[in-house]
DNA sequence: AAAACACATTGACAAACTTCTATATGACGC
DNA sequence: GCGTCATATAGAAGTTTGTCAATGTGTTTT
């Protein structure tokens, strides 16, 4: 996966308000109005954050009449974890052998 | 762990250049000059990104004479993964029972 | 059809971030 | 000590992000 896409995914976790929202969704689906009640932001700001979370694939939105219900995407989380896993250094090398013409 | 700290951790993965750096470190330790050679940025910019990566705990710096050697912190990565894990929704509820006075 | 409601979009502004040039720090070799 | 090399820091410019008030869109209710 290319870095641009990875950056978009992890932007989901870079803002305190978004982390708060994710914490709220941890126990299951919630509608936007319900999330809004527990936060100190305006409705357009919430809408902005939900878009970022959905674009990152971390949250899924489901429309039901005039309500939007949001929930964590476990697949999205898994994908993010795979990205992290990808950076693990398995060479587990003893330090001190890296580079530079000494 | 509080959200402010989590946000700092994940900022490490929000920039394409930093992701590129992490990709380079994937195969083991490298010194700064070595990383710089493979990137299209100036030395101060690299220094800036390395600081963000180190502050996030994702990269470890080791000074040896006038050289700085950087490597992935597997512990840091693990911590990040634990944060993601924390958001997983294990209620795995059937959708449609969430909220809102219908 | 009109009013009310839930949410999204637009546009403006401030704060934060990325990048650069210039300069400082600290280590090495002469 | 002096010049050189590797890296860090400071300060400035441009870009992106977070936030809000105002407005638009689509749905339900009366």
């Amino acid at each position: 996966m290319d870095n641009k896409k990875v950056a978009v995914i992890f932007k989901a976790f870079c803002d305190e308000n978004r982390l708060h929202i994710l914490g709220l969704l941890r126990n299951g689906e919630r509608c936007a109005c319900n999330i809004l009640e527990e936060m100190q932001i305006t409705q357009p700001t919430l809408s902005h954050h939900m878009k970022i979370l959905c674009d990152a694939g971390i949250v899924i939105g489901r429309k039901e009449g005039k309500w939007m219900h949001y929930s964590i995407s476990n697949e999205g989380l898994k994908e993010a974890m795979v990205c992290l896993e990808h950076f693990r250094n398995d060479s587990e090398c003893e330090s001190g052998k890296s580079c530079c013409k000494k």
Side-chain angles (χ1 to χ4, degrees), chain A residues 6-7 10 13 18 24-25 29 32-33 35 40 58-59 62 66 69-72 74 83-84 88 93-94 101:
Chain A
V6 175
F10 286 104
F13 307 98
R18 287 196 287 274
L24 293 174
L25 294 179
E29 197 181 56
C33 57
I35 297 170
Q40 304 297 320
I58 302 300
V59 164
R62 180 175 66 84
K66 55 182 172 178
H69 299 258
Y70 292 105
S71 56
I72 298 276
N74 284 344
C83 288
L84 292 187
R88 171 178 284 162
C93 59
E94 335 73 74
K101 50 282 164 183

Side-chain angles (χ1 to χ4, degrees), chain A residues 26-89:
Chain A
R26 217 175 75 82
N27 303 120
E29 197 181 56
R30 289 216 192 195
C31 82
C33 57
N34 191 291
I35 297 170
L36 186 59
E37 279 171 4
E38 308 215 25
M39 303 195 62
Q40 304 297 320
I41 57 176
T42 62
Q43 177 270 319
T45 299
L46 176 63
S47 192
H48 165 76
H49 286 307
M50 296 320 295
K51 180 162 170 44
I52 288 172
L53 289 168
C54 289
D55 288 351
I58 302 300
V59 164
I60 291 170
R62 180 175 66 84
K63 187 166 189 177
E64 189 180 322
K66 55 182 172 178
W67 291 287
M68 276 300 291
H69 299 258
Y70 292 105
S71 56
I72 298 276
S73 164
N74 284 344
E75 296 75 34
L77 273 183
K78 174 103 183 239
E79 195 179 11
M81 279 192 271
V82 168
C83 288
L84 292 187
E85 193 75 45
H86 177 260
F87 289 124
R88 171 178 284 162
N89 172 18

